[in-house]
Amino acid sequence: MKPNNWVSSSQATELLSKQLVTWPLAGKNYKALEAVQVKSFDMGGFSIRAQFNPARIVSSGAKTDTQSLKERKCFLCPENLPVEQERLSFGLHHLVLCNPYPIFPQHFTIPTRKHTPQLILPQWNNFLELTRRLAPFTIFYNGPRSGASAPDHAHFQAVTRGIMPQDEEVAHFIGRELTASQAVSRQANDGRILLLTGYLRNGFVIQASAQETATRLFKTIYAALPIPPGEPEPMMNLFGSYYDDNWVITVIPRKRHRPWQYEAEGDDHLLSSPGAADIGGLFITPLEKDFKKINPELLRDVYQQVCLSNREVEEIFVHLHEEAGGHPYQMSY
Ligand SMILES: [Zn+2]
């Protein structure tokens, strides 16, 4: 059976407008977001935006160890959702919900109907569908130990595009690289993998016009990424956008869940549990003391701990190159 209940971006936008009125918690938190403090840092060729967002303590401070998960009621299971929280069905397996603790002016959580662990492969097709059907939004994925506050319940998020600096920076990067490579292109026209380095959150950008190509290229990257001991899949954050009839999927592999400062005491302490928003360049600080002390040096330190170095992604890229027997372009941001 083919589902025909795909949510459109205008239906999602309508849902949010309605919830701002019918759900006081959402109304209050979206209003508070309008006055949120933001600082921008020039990192030398790209920017990072820090956001002081006290309401996000719920997520950044969330305990995600197995014992804590067992003891809490899952906040993404349909039977535990607040009565005020309305839901739209997306295909057969997902629900579109307003996120009551927003980082973005439009912020949706998209959990599966069933309580099933956060993993990318079983939901990959839906990730592509969401990216295309909710096209004005950026869709992102937090791996179970790469920022997800509910690693036991599969979910995506859909957010206003252009708030994370990465949205624009990656679009610009692709435009520039494709112009430069046109004359010598030996790539298949329907898709390619670009290497993103010199960006602190180094990784790969897939551009594909066909769903099968996007899937094939993603699986090639997935297979080349290391799986740390005890992890169910390679650690990563994913970002999907769709424009000019193409999917643009940014894959940022991770090597660490949180920086050491998360556990530190005293002045060194930093309440940062980087997820896709942070990796996308919107660095969330729920505590004012952290917002005040954040600077390019500290940001650099955090990203270097949780993401792969230039050299590490370059080595993976060379491997992809050999596997594909093709000639993907070596590119730097
Ligand atoms: Zn659940």
Side-chain angles (χ1 to χ4, degrees):
M1 187 178 74
K2 282 250 174 197
N4 56 7
N5 55 346
W6 304 110
V7 173
S8 67
S9 59
S10 57
Q11 283 171 310
T13 302
E14 223 171 86
L15 172 74
L16 178 60
S17 315
K18 199 170 154 201
Q19 290 271 259
L20 295 181
V21 181
T22 57
W23 190 8
L25 174 70
K28 179 175 141 262
N29 285 344
Y30 278 88
K31 187 81 198 151
L33 186 71
E34 290 172 15
V36 88
Q37 289 184 67
V38 176
K39 286 199 276 200
S40 266
F41 298 98
D42 180 354
M43 305 294 290
F46 60 92
S47 40
I48 300 291
R49 210 169 278 162
Q51 185 190 88
F52 170 42
N53 191 331
R56 290 299 294 185
I57 190 101
V58 184
S59 176
S60 298
K63 291 204 169 81
T64 52
D65 59 284
T66 317
Q67 191 58 27
S68 305
L69 291 177
K70 259 190 215 153
E71 286 165 5
R72 68 116 164 83
K73 248 186 174 183
C74 176
F75 59 89
L76 292 180
C77 274
E79 62 271 26
N80 299 335
L81 297 178
V83 285
E84 299 96 330
Q85 191 165 28
E86 293 190 34
R87 45 212 88 172
L88 297 173
S89 291
F90 187 91
L92 296 173
H93 305 294
H94 286 77
L95 295 173
V96 175
L97 313 170
C98 292
N99 186 330
Y101 301 102
I103 303 175
F104 300 85
Q106 292 166 295
H107 194 161
F108 302 92
T109 310
I110 305 174
T112 46
R113 288 169 179 278
K114 281 193 186 149
H115 186 82
T116 176
Q118 176 77 321
L119 291 171
I120 188 59
L121 291 184
Q123 325 179 71
W124 173 257
N125 289 339
N126 269 87
F127 179 64
L128 293 182
E129 283 294 349
L130 281 162
T131 299
R132 185 164 65 92
R133 292 180 187 269
L134 301 182
F137 297 107
T138 292
I139 311 298
F140 64 65
Y141 170 80
N142 285 318
R145 283 220 322 128
S146 304
S149 51
D152 54 340
H153 193 130
H155 63 285
F156 297 114
Q157 296 178 60
V159 303
T160 319
R161 189 175 302 164
I163 307 288
M164 291 180 286
Q166 181 182 283
D167 286 334
E168 221 167 89
E169 288 165 354
V170 164
H172 180 77
F173 163 72
I174 293 177
R176 196 185 63 198
E177 296 303 339
L178 292 190
T179 309
S181 63
Q182 245 166 18
V184 290
S185 180
R186 292 179 63 187
Q187 287 290 99
N189 286 329
D190 65 339
R192 68 201 82 222
I193 297 172
L194 307 178
L195 175 65
L196 188 62
T197 60
Y199 196 52
L200 283 179
R201 302 93 73 203
N202 302 310
F204 312 94
V205 179
I206 297 167
Q207 188 205 26
S209 56
Q211 192 153 348
E212 302 70 39
T213 311
T215 300
R216 179 172 51 80
L217 296 177
F218 175 69
K219 288 188 173 167
T220 309
I221 296 172
Y222 184 99
L225 296 177
I227 303 184
E231 297 296 323
E233 66 177 18
M235 292 173 73
M236 69 177 98
N237 299 104
L238 294 178
F239 304 83
S241 55
Y242 188 89
Y243 53 89
D244 300 339
D245 300 324
N246 274 276
W247 276 274
V248 172
I249 311 289
T250 306
V251 182
I252 308 292
R254 297 275 300 264
K255 61 181 174 199
R256 196 166 165 158
H257 185 195
R258 292 164 168 155
W260 67 266
Q261 289 93 334
Y262 185 88
E263 303 284 352
E265 310 247 324
D267 289 350
D268 282 336
H269 178 255
L270 179 72
L271 188 68
S272 164
S273 193
D278 309 84
I279 298 301
L282 184 66
F283 194 83
I284 307 301
T285 55
L287 301 179
E288 192 169 20
K289 67 155 183 78
D290 290 344
F291 182 70
K292 281 187 175 152
K293 79 174 172 194
I294 207 83
N295 59 40
E297 198 188 12
L298 182 55
L299 288 168
R300 218 167 263 284
D301 178 25
V302 170
Y303 287 120
Q304 280 169 352
Q305 290 180 60
V306 301
C307 295
L308 271 57
S309 67
N310 290 340
R311 199 183 160 155
E312 285 167 320
V313 290
E314 276 160 14
E315 277 169 9
I316 294 166
F317 191 71
V318 168
H319 188 66
L320 297 180
H321 173 112
E322 285 161 1
E323 286 287 298
H327 302 265
Y329 299 104
Q330 177 98 12
M331 289 158 191
S332 301
Y333 188 75

